[in-house]
Amino acid sequence: MPKVIPSQPRSVTVPPRPDTTAARRPRLRALDGMRLVAALMVVAFHWVGVNRYPGVWGGTPQKLMPALHAVSAYGFLGVQLFFLISGFVICMSCWGRTPRQYFTSRVVRLFPAYWVAILLTGLVVNYAATARPSRAHLTLTDFLSNMTMLQQPLGVAEVDPVYWTLWVELRFYLLFAFVVAFGLTYRRVLTFCGIWMILSVVVRGTDMKMVELFVMPEYAPYFIAGVIMYLIYRFGANWLLLASVGFSFLVAQHQLLGTANSFKYGVMHSLSWPLMVVFCLLAYGVVLAAAMGAFDRVQWKWLTTAGALTYPVYLLHQEIGFALIRWARDQGMGVWPALLAALAAILLLSWLVHRYAERPLSALMRRMLDAPGLALPKSDPPVRSRAVIIERSAVPAEGAATR
């Protein structure tokens, strides 16, 4: 019987498995909670921290609620926390996406709730008798221009003054779109952050106004730090990434000097730079802790709902909130009952907008934007011949004339 020689196993090259570490990690529900905290900080600032509109409360919050005002006067720093989280979330949600998917995700996220908020807030500003009397009524062109979310560069009055941050966010999205167009990688994202940081430092105080407009020196450190923190979340911490976050904080603490001067107008008294730096350091610390897995076990489902309410709360709270507080005070409610009632009303209204307007409109817009017919062709489509159309339309007429 011939000897059977066993065949040698073939050498098979196994392709490397894709990095799915970030994908397997649990949802960062803690970030949803942080977003709501940031939104409530801004609400507290406008309702209790600002002294410039005594007609809302029938007196200044500093006199009516001195202890709460002392804390709420720094609530504007919730915007800085927003920007940190925004840098993190945008990088996370757009990793591996095409430019078209990136565009769709931003449009669907921003515009549905925003359009509803414009309509509701505009009705209050123009028709609610309890709105602050110093607020000028809005014209039709003001409404239509605000629908673009570009009212600030257009020089148009904003339906609600808090919408100024949306123009900051839009510029960040435009900058980040350049990286998305080339494909997000560790090297490209880190290079982008480094170039942006350098430009944000050297351009300030120069005559390059257009460059300064887009690099946003006052807010760039927060977006940049958030993006780098996502790299830490996805790829793990190393000294380069941690040093980059630390460097962005050092730049941010200096920029807070200008931020403090900007918000003195509303609070009508001086602000403590050391307190602002402490909060800024705390904001950096909690987002970095989330990136490094400190809050992975925080998986309370209600935090997702809280995160979903953040955007409507932010969009609706100022002008509508002022009207609610003024109405409650006119009805004889005390300071604290009026404050709690207004907060409950804004939270309820935000949930209604999210549940019955934002969600269905977002789904509809996504289907429309994902339609194959909206995809940009790689080359020009064939030109339709007008002669053929005219010739075909002329045939029935000639036939009818011969009958």
Side-chain angles (χ1 to χ4, degrees), residues 137-154:
H137 281 201
L138 298 158
T139 65
L140 178 59
T141 186
D142 291 334
F143 279 108
L144 297 178
S145 299
N146 272 261
M147 298 291 279
T148 67
M149 207 178 283
L150 298 174
Q151 62 274 7
Q152 191 168 348
L154 288 173

Side-chain angles (χ1 to χ4, degrees), residues 13 28 42 52 58 97 115 128 159 172 187 199 220 228 239 251 275 283 293 297 303 318 337 347 361-362 388 392 401:
T13 302
L28 282 174
V42 176
R52 188 156 292 276
R97 291 192 176 188
W115 287 333
V159 172
F172 167 54
R187 181 186 294 270
L199 286 175
I228 295 174
W239 286 114
V251 175
L275 286 178
R297 293 186 178 181
L303 288 174
Q318 178 160 310
L347 290 174
L361 285 175
S362 296
V388 174
R392 289 179 178 176

Side-chain angles (χ1 to χ4, degrees), residues 53-327:
Y53 310 122
V56 175
W57 284 100
T60 63
Q62 188 174 14
K63 292 182 178 179
L64 296 172
M65 298 164 281
L68 184 58
H69 168 79
V71 177
S72 300
Y74 295 89
F76 62 87
L77 292 170
V79 172
Q80 277 68 19
L81 178 55
F82 264 131
F83 291 160
L84 273 171
I85 298 171
S86 181
F88 187 107
V89 172
I90 294 305
C91 193
M92 176 173 63
S93 61
C94 296
W95 202 279
R97 291 192 176 188
T98 65
R100 182 184 178 186
Q101 291 171 328
Y102 174 72
F103 172 79
T104 299
S105 68
R106 294 304 90 207
V107 170
V108 169
R109 178 69 182 94
L110 288 180
F111 281 97
Y114 174 72
W115 287 333
V116 176
I118 283 179
L119 294 175
L120 295 177
T121 304
L123 290 173
V124 169
V125 170
N126 278 8
Y127 300 109
T130 53
R132 55 191 172 105
S134 60
R135 181 68 161 98
H137 281 201
L138 298 158
T139 65
L140 178 59
T141 186
D142 291 334
F143 279 108
L144 297 178
S145 299
N146 272 261
M147 298 291 279
T148 67
M149 207 178 283
L150 298 174
Q151 62 274 7
Q152 191 168 348
L154 288 173
V156 176
E158 290 171 318
V159 172
D160 194 311
V162 301
Y163 297 167
W164 70 267
T165 60
L166 301 178
W167 174 230
V168 178
E169 288 276 354
L170 285 176
R171 284 179 282 171
F172 167 54
Y173 296 159
L174 182 60
L175 285 175
F176 203 69
F178 287 100
V179 193
V180 175
F182 290 98
L184 299 184
T185 66
Y186 178 92
R187 181 186 294 270
R188 289 171 184 165
V189 171
L190 193 57
T191 301
F192 163 78
C193 290
I195 294 173
W196 188 8
M197 178 62 76
I198 292 171
L199 286 175
S200 71
V201 172
V202 302
V203 78
R204 189 158 194 169
T206 67
D207 294 330
M208 297 183 289
K209 298 301 182 184
M210 183 59 68
V211 179
E212 185 174 357
L213 175 68
F214 282 96
V215 300
M216 303 177 291
E218 187 174 352
Y219 303 109
Y222 306 103
F223 290 116
I224 292 170
V227 170
I228 295 174
M229 288 177 193
Y230 175 70
L231 295 181
I232 292 173
Y233 173 76
R234 185 178 183 89
F235 299 104
N238 59 53
W239 286 114
L240 175 61
L241 297 180
L242 292 174
S244 299
V245 172
F247 185 84
S248 74
F249 170 76
L250 295 178
V251 175
Q253 60 83 27
H254 173 73
Q255 307 292 34
L256 285 175
L257 294 171
T259 303
N261 292 328
S262 299
F263 286 94
K264 282 182 182 178
Y265 174 83
V267 299
M268 301 180 68
H269 58 72
S270 62
L271 294 166
S272 170
W273 174 82
L275 286 178
M276 294 172 64
V277 172
V278 168
F279 174 81
C280 183
L281 182 61
L282 180 61
Y284 268 73
V286 294
V287 180
L288 181 60
M292 298 182 71
F295 303 122
D296 282 355
R297 293 186 178 181
V298 178
Q299 292 299 311
W300 306 319
K301 293 183 178 181
W302 64 267
L303 288 174
T304 302
T305 303
L309 294 181
T310 299
Y311 189 42
V313 166
Y314 187 83
L315 294 173
L316 297 166
H317 78 271
Q318 178 160 310
E319 295 294 351
I320 297 177
F322 284 164
L324 288 170
I325 292 170
R326 179 70 179 274
W327 178 84

